[in-house]
């Protein structure tokens, strides 16, 4: 059958359409693939850059201690480190915004107070340029629903942008109000700066559009306003501006803060916005030690009962720095990836694990899951170090089983406090262990285990050869299981637990038998050498046994 001209034309058009559409789909897939690859590249580069920033921050903290007279220089160093961190985080945020990865999670709290506290953090930036910076909030207090992470970036970008383009002695005003229904937050940032040139207005919110920076000698990534625009619309708000060259600029952000404005998946009912709490959630951060304190600390020997810390970090410089500073207080072991860490954990159980997330062979998430899913290891606490700042990244760390997390760059003193807090919390859970204290209430399984362990030792108290292997056999457990259980419940290894129970028995024996000599008591509670008994007793009780027994008997 011969085809007519119009049929041939139709077939030709269809073929051309298929070719064009196919080409478009191919190019679209290439763009998507390239964007995904670039996003992965941004994440990896940011991680690599944040690690040396952590080293720099820790080194500055060390210099504060050994050379405290240079505080102004240290403040400048820290300020620039934090500036770089914010820029890197903006790159990550922008990358996520491009691929639709940004998510909203609003919490309830006093939004006016939050805005005020956030803006106050930027005052040093204004002071350096001698700008008159004022904050007006009306009303001064108002409850609403906001994503604090997103609002923090919006306020910081707008205010830092105002400071950047306002000459010295100029003025920046933050004016925050609400509407008559109290369900919107209206943020105005005004400055007396250079204004926005007309040719820049159309592309103001486009990425990498950074204005006339060469002319005004400003450093900019061209991401701040573009990211701010994305964050405002993510928060279901609007952003507008008005500007006149040579007179200044005003940005106006309108954000809904009523609960009904957000989907159920975007609302966090459990957590409320808190104030006057540091980002690292450590309330008792101590003042810096003096150089003399540090010197004496480095010179003092580590207690054999000090906690064992395992550091898992693939960056050798950071790992060595952490090892050097933490080893003044803890026994420290190191591993460069998750697989090495597991091998160490199975042969020598640490008390706490500090692990980076992004590592070769086995990352921090996988390491955490391996540990928490192993019945023999699940009690081990884990702190994850992360360069990622998104809520879902933190959530992934906690879902993997991490006990805590800390953002890079971090201060080693903050990390040390987190270690101490976890250890202290576990010690509080371990009490009480004495039979008298547990007699008046039902025993938990852990208390039953401890009571059985104490009874087992009491039955072999005078046997100096009764060691951890015999103890484990009588408890019906392997040596490693007994070690892990006692470490988790008491904070002591098996040997220390046996020694402590022997000394407690010695105190009871001395009280019941006033005429017994110290050496006799030592032999009766399983010590072969009275001198070693005296040394162990003083370490446990703080005084020599003869002095302690005399006070107790008298």
């Amino acid at each position: 059958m011969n085809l007519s001209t119009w049929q041939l034309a139709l077939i030709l058009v269809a073929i051309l359409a298929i070719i064009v559409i196919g080409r478009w789909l191919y190019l679209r897939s290439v763009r998507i693939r390239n964007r995904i690859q670039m996003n992965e590249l941004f994440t990896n580069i940011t991680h690599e850059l944040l690690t040396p920033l952590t080293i720099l921050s820790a080194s500055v903290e060390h210099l504060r201690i050994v050379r405290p007279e240079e505080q102004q220089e240290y403040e400048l160093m820290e300020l620039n480190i934090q500036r770089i961190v914010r820029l890197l985080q903006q790159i990550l945020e922008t990358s996520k915004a491009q691929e639709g990865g940004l998510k909203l999670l609003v919490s309830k709290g006093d939004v006016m107070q939050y805005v005020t506290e956030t803006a106050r953090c930027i005052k040093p930036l204004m002071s350096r340029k001698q700008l008159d910076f004022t904050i007006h909030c009306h009303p001064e207090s108002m409850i609403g629903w906001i994503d604090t992470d997103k609002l923090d970036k919006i306020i910081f970008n707008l205010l830092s942008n105002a400071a950047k383009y306002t000459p010295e002695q100029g003025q920046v005003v933050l004016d925050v109000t609400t509407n008559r229904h109290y369900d919107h937050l209206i943020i105005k940032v005004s400055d007396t700066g250079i204004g926005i040139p007309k040719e820049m207005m159309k592309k103001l919110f486009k990425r990498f559009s950074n204005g006339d920076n060469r002319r005004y000698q400003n450093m900019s990534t061209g991401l701040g306003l573009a990211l701010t625009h994305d964050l405002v619309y993510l928060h279901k708000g609007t952003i507008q501006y008005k500007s006149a060259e040579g007179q200044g600029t005003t940005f106006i952000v309108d954000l809904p803060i009523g609960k009904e404005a957000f989907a159920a998946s975007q609302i966090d009912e459990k957590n409320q916005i808190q104030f006057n709490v540091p980002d690292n959630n450590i309330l008792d951060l101590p003042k810096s030690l003096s150089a003399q304190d540090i010197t004496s600390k480095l010179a003092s020997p580590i207690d054999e009962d000090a906690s064992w810390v395992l550091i898992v970090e693939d960056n050798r410089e950071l790992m060595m720095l952490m090892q050097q500073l933490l080893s003044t207080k803890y026994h420290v072991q190191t591993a460069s990836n998750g697989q090495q860490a597991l091998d160490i954990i199975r042969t020598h159980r640490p008390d706490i694990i500090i692990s980076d997330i992004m590592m070769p062979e086995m990352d921090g998430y996988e390491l955490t899951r391996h540990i928490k899913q192993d019945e023999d290891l699940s009690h081990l606490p884990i702190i994850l170090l992360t360069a990622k700042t998104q809520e879902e990244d933190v959530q992934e760390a906690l879902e993997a089983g991490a006990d805590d997390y800390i953002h890079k760059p971090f201060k080693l003193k903050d990390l040390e406090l987190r270690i101490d807090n976890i250890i202290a919390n576990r010690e509080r859970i371990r009490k009480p262990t004495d039979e008298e204290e547990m007699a008046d209430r039902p025993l938990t399984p852990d208390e039953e285990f401890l009571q059985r362990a104490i009874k087992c030792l009491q039955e072999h108290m005078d046997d100096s050869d009764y060691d951890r292997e015999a103890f484990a056999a009588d408890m019906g457990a392997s040596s490693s299981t007994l070690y892990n259980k006692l470490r988790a419940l008491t904070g002591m290894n098996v040997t220390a637990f046996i020694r402590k129970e022997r000394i407690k028995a010695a105190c009871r024996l001395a009280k019941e038998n006033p005429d017994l000599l110290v050496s006799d008591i030592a032999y009766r509670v399983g010590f072969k050498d009275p001198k070693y008994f005296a040394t162990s007793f003083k370490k446990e009780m703080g005084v020599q046994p003869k002095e302690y027994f005399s006070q107790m008997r008298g």
Side-chain angles (χ1 to χ4, degrees), residues 62 130 161 173 183-184 198 235 249 300 303 395 425 434 442 461 465 490 508 515 527 537 551:
H62 184 65
Q130 301 177 30
N161 216 53
V173 178
D183 59 357
H184 276 250
K198 289 183 179 180
H235 214 293
T249 303
S300 61
D303 193 310
Q395 185 176 346
N425 287 336
D434 292 340
M461 192 57 67
D465 294 323
T490 69
R508 290 194 297 268
D515 297 330
F527 283 87
F537 191 96
Q551 292 176 355

Side-chain angles (χ1 to χ4, degrees), residues 106-129:
V106 297
S107 301
K108 184 181 180 181
D110 191 327
V111 295
M112 290 296 188
Q113 189 179 354
Y114 182 81
V115 170
T116 301
E117 294 298 325
T118 302
R120 282 175 181 166
C121 296
I122 305 174
K123 280 192 173 183
L125 181 66
M126 303 294 181
S127 299
R128 280 205 315 278
K129 289 195 67 176

Side-chain angles (χ1 to χ4, degrees), residues 30-193:
V30 169
R31 287 196 300 269
I32 292 173
R33 184 173 66 249
N34 290 341
R35 188 165 65 243
I36 292 172
Q37 290 174 345
M38 285 301 296
N39 287 340
E40 291 177 353
L41 181 63
F42 279 148
T43 300
N44 292 333
I45 290 175
T46 301
H47 174 263
E48 293 302 320
L49 290 174
L50 285 173
T51 296
L53 285 174
T54 299
I55 298 172
L56 287 175
S57 183
S59 299
V60 171
E61 282 301 300
H62 184 65
L63 287 173
R64 283 183 188 273
I65 295 169
V66 298
R67 296 288 299 275
E69 67 274 11
E70 307 292 345
Q71 290 300 323
Q72 187 173 355
E73 284 77 7
Y74 303 145
E75 291 295 337
L76 185 61
M77 292 178 193
E78 281 289 355
L79 193 64
N80 280 279
I81 289 172
Q82 293 306 317
R83 181 185 179 190
I84 296 172
V85 170
R86 278 188 177 271
L87 291 174
L88 291 172
Q89 289 174 346
Q90 284 202 157
I91 293 174
L92 282 177
E93 293 278 273
T94 303
S95 176
K96 289 209 169 191
Q98 283 183 308
E99 63 180 10
L102 288 178
K103 296 181 180 178
L104 195 70
L105 190 66
V106 297
S107 301
K108 184 181 180 181
D110 191 327
V111 295
M112 290 296 188
Q113 189 179 354
Y114 182 81
V115 170
T116 301
E117 294 298 325
T118 302
R120 282 175 181 166
C121 296
I122 305 174
K123 280 192 173 183
L125 181 66
M126 303 294 181
S127 299
R128 280 205 315 278
K129 289 195 67 176
Q130 301 177 30
L131 299 176
D132 179 14
F133 178 45
T134 55
I135 304 170
H136 301 300
C137 289
H138 183 75
E140 293 183 357
S141 176
M142 183 175 69
I143 301 300
W145 293 80
I146 56 171
D147 185 321
T148 54
D149 176 65
K150 309 299 184 293
L151 184 57
D152 173 84
K153 291 179 173 63
I154 291 169
I155 293 172
F156 182 86
N157 281 331
L158 292 177
L159 289 176
S160 63
N161 216 53
K164 187 185 302 179
Y165 293 106
T166 301
E168 290 187 1
Q169 310 297 330
Q171 186 177 25
V172 177
V173 178
L174 172 64
D175 188 71
V176 189
T177 57
T178 185
N179 61 350
R180 63 191 183 91
H181 298 295
Y182 295 91
D183 59 357
H184 276 250
L185 188 69
I186 302 167
I187 303 168
K188 293 183 182 180
V189 175
S190 305
D191 64 63
T192 58

Side-chain angles (χ1 to χ4, degrees), residues 117-395:
E117 294 298 325
T118 302
R120 282 175 181 166
C121 296
I122 305 174
K123 280 192 173 183
L125 181 66
M126 303 294 181
S127 299
R128 280 205 315 278
K129 289 195 67 176
Q130 301 177 30
L131 299 176
D132 179 14
F133 178 45
T134 55
I135 304 170
H136 301 300
C137 289
H138 183 75
E140 293 183 357
S141 176
M142 183 175 69
I143 301 300
W145 293 80
I146 56 171
D147 185 321
T148 54
D149 176 65
K150 309 299 184 293
L151 184 57
D152 173 84
K153 291 179 173 63
I154 291 169
I155 293 172
F156 182 86
N157 281 331
L158 292 177
L159 289 176
S160 63
N161 216 53
K164 187 185 302 179
Y165 293 106
T166 301
E168 290 187 1
Q169 310 297 330
Q171 186 177 25
V172 177
V173 178
L174 172 64
D175 188 71
V176 189
T177 57
T178 185
N179 61 350
R180 63 191 183 91
H181 298 295
Y182 295 91
D183 59 357
H184 276 250
L185 188 69
I186 302 167
I187 303 168
K188 293 183 182 180
V189 175
S190 305
D191 64 63
T192 58
I194 61 177
I196 303 172
K198 289 183 179 180
E199 63 271 17
M200 294 299 304
M201 290 185 177
K202 291 183 179 180
K203 51 183 179 179
L204 189 63
F205 295 123
K206 291 184 178 180
R207 291 177 180 84
F208 307 111
S209 172
N210 51 11
D212 201 350
N213 286 319
R214 292 182 181 177
R215 178 182 172 189
Y216 298 105
Q217 298 181 343
N218 280 314
M219 296 288 291
S220 174
T221 60
L223 295 175
L225 285 178
L227 178 60
T228 300
H229 177 272
D230 291 343
L231 294 177
V232 168
Y233 277 86
L234 179 69
H235 214 293
K236 303 182 187 296
T238 61
I239 180 169
Q240 299 174 326
Y241 66 93
K242 52 185 178 180
S243 181
E245 287 193 68
Q247 298 181 30
T249 303
T250 298
F251 282 92
I252 304 169
V253 173
D254 189 328
L255 300 175
I257 57 171
K259 186 177 180 180
E260 65 281 354
F262 307 102
S265 61
Q266 297 175 324
I267 297 173
D268 185 359
E269 296 274 10
K270 296 180 181 179
N271 298 316
Q272 292 194 355
I273 302 169
Q274 296 185 15
F275 306 94
N276 301 321
V277 178
D279 289 338
N280 54 18
N281 293 320
I282 299 170
L283 301 178
D284 55 346
L285 191 67
K287 295 180 179 179
S288 295
L289 299 172
S290 67
Q292 185 177 358
D293 292 333
I294 286 291
T295 303
S296 62
K297 187 177 181 182
L298 289 170
S300 61
I302 296 295
D303 193 310
E304 66 176 24
D305 289 331
S307 299
W308 280 87
V309 175
L310 174 62
I311 300 171
V312 192
E313 171 61 62
D314 64 323
N315 182 280
R316 182 169 176 78
E317 289 80 8
L318 177 57
M319 180 176 71
M320 291 176 65
L321 180 62
M322 292 172 65
Q323 181 182 19
Q324 177 186 358
L325 297 183
L326 291 179
S327 62
T328 61
K329 189 172 182 179
Y330 315 101
H331 300 292
V332 178
Q333 293 178 296
T334 61
S336 58
N337 60 61
Q339 188 57 58
Q340 286 184 12
L342 276 180
D343 294 339
I344 292 173
I345 291 167
R346 289 178 177 134
T347 56
H348 186 101
R349 305 293 167 84
D351 297 301
I352 192 165
I353 300 159
I354 303 159
S355 175
D356 190 16
I357 289 181
M358 297 179 68
M359 297 181 295
E361 294 192 44
M362 182 186 292
D363 64 20
Y365 293 137
E366 190 176 354
L367 171 63
T368 302
R369 283 189 284 267
H370 270 286
I371 292 171
K372 295 302 182 179
Q373 291 170 6
D374 189 320
E375 193 172 317
D376 234 12
L377 307 177
S378 59
H379 64 282
L380 296 176
I382 302 173
I383 299 175
L384 288 181
L385 309 179
T386 176
K388 300 179 177 182
T389 59
Q390 287 297 303
E391 183 69 29
E392 56 266 29
D393 298 320
V394 172
Q395 185 176 346

